[in-house]
Amino acid sequence: MANVELTSLAKLPTLSKLRKLELSDNIISGGLEVLAERCPNLTYLNLSGNKIKDLGTVEALQNLKNLKSLDLFNCEITNLEDYRDSIFELLQQITYLDGFDQEDNEAPDSEDDDDEEGDEGDDDEDEDEAGPPGEYEEEDDEDDGGSDLGEGEEEEEDEDDDDDYVEEGGDEEEEAEGVRGEKRKRDPEDEGEEEDD
């Protein structure tokens, strides 16, 4: 629910299985206690770009026991002196604040984005990591070329098997004729033999 001019979380439904909530770039200034009541299993919460000004507002997040990553970037609270230390002290369950841990080590992508976490664990979106479309298409062309040769070689080796299939069915006969056409191009001597068939 990013950038939808939300001012309150009062009407947030109960989402007990929800782990990641994007609330960035809204007008939220308080009422965060609702999150612990209705989304108790949150591990990632992005409140960046909201109107959160003080530690008292954030204190309500102490009840989110599973919260590991909190983003308050571009909120007024980040201007407080010792902001980071204060948040880590107040919310001891969190590991990452604004994308960095207490020692200023950047959070791995999997902590920041569940979609990317899926890549690491489930390989759901490997196609996004395969490379630019141009590279992917070249790989397809190479694969097609390689598989055509492999099929042709295999069919030449099993020449007797192809003839068996031609005798048994119609669809296979058309396919076998296509193979014979390839053989004619490859070996003109076989042309006369196959015409006799």
Side-chain angles (χ1 to χ4, degrees):
M1 295 186 293
N3 198 17
V4 292
E5 298 182 5
L6 258 168
T7 57
S8 169
L9 298 174
K11 294 184 179 182
L12 185 71
T14 298
L15 301 165
S16 58
K17 293 183 180 181
L18 188 68
R19 302 218 182 271
K20 177 180 177 181
L21 183 56
E22 291 277 351
L23 294 170
S24 61
D25 301 315
N26 283 296
I27 315 167
I28 299 167
S29 61
L32 300 182
E33 59 279 344
V34 170
L35 292 172
E37 295 167 10
R38 301 188 186 157
C39 304
N41 290 307
L42 284 181
T43 58
Y44 173 90
L45 177 60
N46 186 346
L47 290 166
S48 63
N50 277 283
K51 304 295 181 192
I52 298 167
K53 299 178 183 179
D54 56 57
L55 292 171
T57 303
V58 177
E59 191 174 358
L61 300 178
Q62 286 177 325
N63 294 324
L64 286 171
K65 302 299 183 193
N66 297 315
L67 189 64
K68 298 294 177 218
S69 183
L70 174 64
D71 196 337
L72 296 170
F73 185 74
N74 279 343
C75 289
E76 289 182 45
I77 193 172
T78 61
N79 297 325
L80 295 178
E81 190 174 325
D82 298 326
Y83 152 73
R84 290 182 56 77
D85 290 337
S86 299
I87 295 292
F88 278 116
E89 187 177 323
L90 183 65
L91 304 175
Q92 295 185 6
Q93 78 273 31
I94 69 169
T95 305
Y96 299 101
L97 176 61
D98 303 332
F100 293 88
D101 68 12
Q102 237 173 323
E103 286 78 38
D104 288 327
N105 297 313
E106 192 168 2
D109 289 338
S110 62
E111 289 292 327
D112 290 336
D113 192 350
D114 281 349
D115 294 337
E116 292 176 17
E117 182 175 306
D119 288 346
E120 290 177 16
D122 300 333
D123 294 333
D124 287 338
E125 296 182 22
D126 279 345
E127 62 194 10
D128 290 343
E129 294 178 6
E135 285 181 31
Y136 187 72
E137 290 172 9
E138 288 175 18
E139 288 175 13
D140 281 350
D141 293 343
E142 289 171 16
D143 289 347
D144 290 345
S147 61
D148 287 344
L149 284 176
E151 290 172 9
E153 291 170 5
E154 187 176 298
E155 289 168 353
E156 282 184 55
E157 290 171 7
D158 298 332
E159 187 175 327
D160 294 336
D161 291 342
D162 286 341
D163 290 337
D164 292 344
Y165 290 122
V166 170
E167 294 172 12
E168 293 175 5
D171 289 342
E172 288 87 0
E173 186 175 326
E174 290 175 5
E175 185 176 323
E177 286 175 7
V179 171
R180 286 187 190 127
E182 278 185 16
K183 289 179 187 174
R184 284 185 193 130
K185 292 176 189 172
R186 291 183 190 162
D187 191 359
E189 295 176 17
D190 290 343
E191 187 174 326
E193 296 174 12
E194 290 186 18
E195 288 179 3
D196 293 342
D197 284 347

